[in-house]
Amino acid sequence: MLDVSGIDLTTEVVRTERLVLRPYRPDDVDAVLAACQDPDIGRWIPAVGPAYGRDDAVAWVTREAPAERAAGTGLTVAIEADGEFVGSTGVHRIGQHPLGPEVGYWIAAGARGRGYAAEAAHAMAEWALGLGASRVYLVADVGNTGSQSVARRAGFTQEGVLRSYLHYADGRAADAALFSRLPGD
Ligand SMILES: CC(C)(COP(=O)(O)OP(=O)(O)OC[C@H]1O[C@@H](n2cnc3c(N)ncnc32)[C@H](O)[C@@H]1OP(=O)(O)O)[C@@H](O)C(=O)NCCC(=O)NCCS
């Protein structure tokens, strides 16, 4: 079982070879707002959706991500490469779901194709497994082949398909590919 009792999630930073995965700061709002205008993020991330505005970015950066950390239920982090904001990743639903904690990610359109998503997802999984999680999982729309490639690159294995699992803001429901990573993977 993932045990975060001994660490302060509000300040936790995870580093990889190229990336710093660190808490959101209020000055991230503009970068998040700009990145989430990309139609692919709105299309594939139900929580973003197609009409993402400043209020949504402010809520995410200053309230929702910090609240998750403060409650000990998740580690939502900004992804920085060379000191620049390039995306978002996280471990969510800690201690809240029998499938295990969930890994998620998105990368700003201008920073894609450099392996950042896979590097970040791998690091988030390592972080959770290193703290005792017996498994971590992620889900990707069956049509989101890019995200499924990221999952495999990050060491996840597909377990199956969850029918009608994803529910988007425009009312669409979609099947999701379910992936997991175990400590030995
Ligand atoms: C999917 C997404 C996270 C990929 O980010 P990225 O940083 O460009 O991905 P990476 O560079 O780490 O790619 C890892 C692998 O996935 C492949 N890949 C990434 N995007 C792909 C795409 N759109 N189509 C096909 N393959 C893709 C890469 O070629 C790479 O494959 P390789 O290991 O064989 O070289 C990014 O396009 C994104 O944010 N999309 C919108 C939001 C989203 O879908 N989030 C995930 C929701 S589940």
Side-chain angles (χ1 to χ4, degrees), residues 3 8-9 20 33 53 68 70 111 115 117-119 133 139 141 149 161 184:
D3 181 8
D8 181 357
L9 290 186
V20 179
L33 180 60
E68 194 188 33
E119 191 168 324
V139 292
D141 191 305
S149 298
V161 172

Side-chain angles (χ1 to χ4, degrees), residues 38 40-41 44-45 105-108 111-119 139-141 144-147 149-150 153:
D38 169 53
D40 275 348
I41 296 181
W44 298 123
I45 309 269
Y105 43 79
W106 54 258
I107 299 292
R112 291 181 191 154
R114 300 178 204 163
Y116 289 161
E119 191 168 324
V139 292
D141 191 305
N144 192 350
T145 51
S147 181
S149 298
V150 169
R153 186 60 151 186

Side-chain angles (χ1 to χ4, degrees), residues 74-96:
L75 182 74
T76 298
V77 284
I79 306 174
E80 257 184 24
D82 298 323
E84 298 290 326
F85 177 92
V86 295
S88 184
T89 188
V91 176
H92 311 287
R93 304 175 94 174
I94 295 174
Q96 294 186 310

Side-chain angles (χ1 to χ4, degrees), residues 3-76:
D3 181 8
V4 292
S5 59
I7 53 175
D8 181 357
L9 290 186
T10 64
T11 57
E12 181 77 349
V13 175
V14 176
R15 290 171 200 278
T16 71
E17 197 179 323
R18 297 180 296 167
L19 306 174
V20 179
L21 312 175
R22 50 102 181 136
Y24 273 101
R25 301 187 304 247
D27 65 352
D28 292 322
V29 165
D30 285 346
V32 169
L33 180 60
C36 289
Q37 302 312 302
D38 169 53
D40 275 348
I41 296 181
R43 180 177 177 208
W44 298 123
I45 309 269
V48 174
Y52 197 82
R54 178 164 291 277
D55 288 350
D56 299 309
V58 169
W60 169 251
V61 167
T62 67
R63 296 197 294 275
E64 293 162 12
E68 194 188 33
R69 285 168 166 267
T73 55
L75 182 74
T76 298

